[in-house]
Amino acid sequence: MHRQISAPVGAPMMGNRNRGGVKASAARLLSLCGAFGAIALLGITVAKAQDAEPRSYSNTPVGLNFLIAGALYSAGKLAFDPDLSVADANFHSKTGLLVYIRSFDFAGQSAKFDVIVPASSFSAWGRVEGQPRQREMAGLGDPRFRVSVNLIGAPALSVKDFANYRQDLIVGISLQVSAPLGQYDSSKLLNLGNNRWSFKPELGISKAVGPWTFELAPSVTFFTDNTNFFGGNDFAQAPFYAVQGHILYTFQSGAWFALDGVYFSGGRTSLNGVKSDNEQRNTRAGFTVALPIDRQNSLKLSASTGITSRTGSEFTAVGVAWQYRWGDGY
C-alpha cells in the first residue's frame, strides 16, 4: 500500500496501439480518473455544488465583515463503474478553511462577497486489478470567490435598522467561481487543485413562517477543460446539476438548527474526446447547528452522509467552524 495510485494507469494511452485499443484504454483510464477526481473534489473542497449550506440567502446588515475559520473531516469509499477492476477503494481527508465575507448594499438589497481558501491533507487507497495503490497529499486547494445578491425580501439595512426586520420571502441569486490556483501535479491522478476554472450560478429561495424557515436552492456548475491532465491529456467534465433544501428552526436565543439535504447529478467526464459512463446521481443528508457565543462570536457544527450514490463517492463528513464579525454598528 505504498505505491502511488497513478503509477500503472497512464501507460496504455501512450503507445501506438490500434485505434480501438487506444479508445478502450482511454475510456477505462477516464472512468478511473473521473471517479478519483470526483472524490477529491467532493472530499476536499467542502461547499461545492454537492454541499448543503443553510442560510446562504438570509438578510444581513450591510457594512459587516465576517472571518470564519473551519475544519472538516471526511471519510468514505469510492463508487466505481462495475466494469472496472477496482475494489476496496477508500479515502479520508482533513480540511482547514479560512473564509472572509463582506456584506454590502446592491440596488437597495443586501448582498455579500465571499472568499474561501481551503488547505487539506488527503489520502486515498484501493486495489487496481488486484494491486494495492495509494495516494497521499497535502497543501492548498483551489480558492473560491462568490457574489450573492438578494433580489426581493432582504432590504439593505444598517445594524440599527435591522433590529426591526422580520423575514418573509427572500429570493436571491449568486455566482461562485473557483480559480485554478491550488496544488497541482499533472503526473498524478489525484490533486488538491483541479487545474481548471468552475462557475456555479445558483438561485436561492427562503421562506420564513414564525421560527421556521424553509429554503430551496437549485444550481448548476460549469467546468473549463483541464488541458494538462495526467501527462498532457485533455480532461473535460459535463455540468453538475444540484438542488439543496433546508428546514431551519431558530430559537429566541439566536441559536438555530437545520436539517439539510442535497441531490446532484451530471458530471460525466471525457478524456481526449472519449466519453465515460460515469455520470453521477447522488443524494446526501445532514444537519447544521449554530450557537451564538456573544455579539461578535458564534460556533457552527455540521455533519452529513451519503444516502444514495451511483458513481463518485459515499462519504461522511463532520465539520466545525468559528465565526467572528465586526464592522459598522459593532
Side-chain angles (χ1 to χ4, degrees):
M1 297 292 288
H2 297 291
R3 298 168 62 187
Q4 292 181 337
I5 199 166
S6 55
V9 242
M13 296 189 59
M14 306 307 169
N16 294 320
R17 299 188 177 187
N18 63 68
R19 185 176 180 183
V22 171
K23 283 190 173 183
S25 297
R28 199 160 181 271
L29 172 61
L30 172 62
S31 295
L32 183 61
C33 294
F36 274 97
I39 187 58
L41 182 68
L42 290 171
I44 295 173
T45 58
V46 194
K48 295 292 283 182
Q50 302 87 340
D51 297 331
E53 179 66 24
R55 293 175 62 97
S56 292
Y57 297 91
S58 61
N59 197 3
T60 303
V62 299
L64 293 187
N65 303 279
F66 299 84
L67 184 63
I68 301 171
L72 177 82
Y73 175 79
S74 54
K77 63 181 181 179
L78 304 171
F80 288 92
D81 186 321
D83 292 335
L84 288 173
S85 301
V86 182
D88 302 323
N90 295 271
F91 86 101
H92 62 75
S93 72
K94 299 176 183 178
T95 300
L97 290 170
L98 189 63
V99 183
Y100 172 74
I101 303 172
R102 170 73 178 183
S103 63
F104 61 96
D105 181 337
F106 183 85
Q109 295 288 318
S110 65
K112 290 181 292 186
F113 173 70
D114 309 355
V115 180
I116 304 171
V117 180
S120 302
S121 64
F122 180 89
S123 178
W125 62 94
R127 294 183 177 274
V128 181
E129 297 182 343
Q131 297 299 313
R133 298 290 182 263
Q134 183 170 337
R135 173 80 163 111
E136 295 182 351
M137 52 189 168
L140 292 176
D142 293 336
R144 302 195 300 277
F145 308 88
R146 188 176 83 148
V147 175
S148 56
V149 178
N150 290 318
L151 302 177
I152 62 172
L157 300 171
S158 66
V159 171
K160 180 180 179 181
D161 294 336
F162 190 81
N164 297 319
Y165 171 78
R166 295 294 180 270
Q167 179 184 331
D168 183 15
L169 174 67
I170 293 176
V171 178
I173 55 174
S174 69
L175 176 64
Q176 180 174 272
V177 178
S178 176
L181 301 175
Q183 179 178 307
Y184 185 78
D185 182 349
S186 64
S187 68
K188 310 299 182 186
L189 274 179
L190 284 180
N191 285 280
L192 297 174
N194 291 287
N195 196 41
R196 61 181 181 177
W197 293 84
S198 72
F199 304 88
K200 177 189 171 186
E202 184 177 74
L203 171 68
I205 302 171
S206 177
K207 172 66 176 178
V209 181
W212 296 92
T213 305
F214 303 90
E215 298 180 339
L216 191 68
S219 65
V220 57
T221 303
F222 302 96
F223 305 94
T224 62
D225 292 356
N226 179 355
T227 57
N228 190 27
F229 177 75
F230 197 41
N233 295 285
D234 187 88
F235 181 88
Q237 189 164 26
F240 268 119
Y241 301 93
V243 58
Q244 57 176 291
H246 311 279
I247 301 175
L248 299 95
Y249 185 88
T250 303
F251 300 90
Q252 290 185 352
S253 64
W256 54 266
F257 174 84
L259 294 176
D260 311 315
V262 59
Y263 171 79
F264 60 93
S265 64
R268 184 180 182 183
T269 58
S270 62
L271 190 68
N272 299 327
V274 180
K275 294 183 178 180
S276 177
D277 183 22
N278 63 348
E279 180 177 351
Q280 300 190 40
R281 289 192 296 271
N282 297 349
T283 306
R284 295 184 59 78
F287 67 87
T288 306
V289 178
L291 304 170
I293 298 173
D294 55 31
R295 184 173 174 82
Q296 293 180 301
N297 296 274
S298 62
L299 186 68
K300 185 163 68 174
L301 309 172
S302 63
S304 66
T305 189
I307 304 300
T308 63
S309 177
R310 179 184 184 270
T311 60
S313 62
E314 293 182 12
F315 67 96
T316 297
V318 179
V320 59
W322 164 81
Q323 176 183 280
Y324 176 78
R325 59 181 176 179
W326 76 97
D328 298 342
Y330 274 79

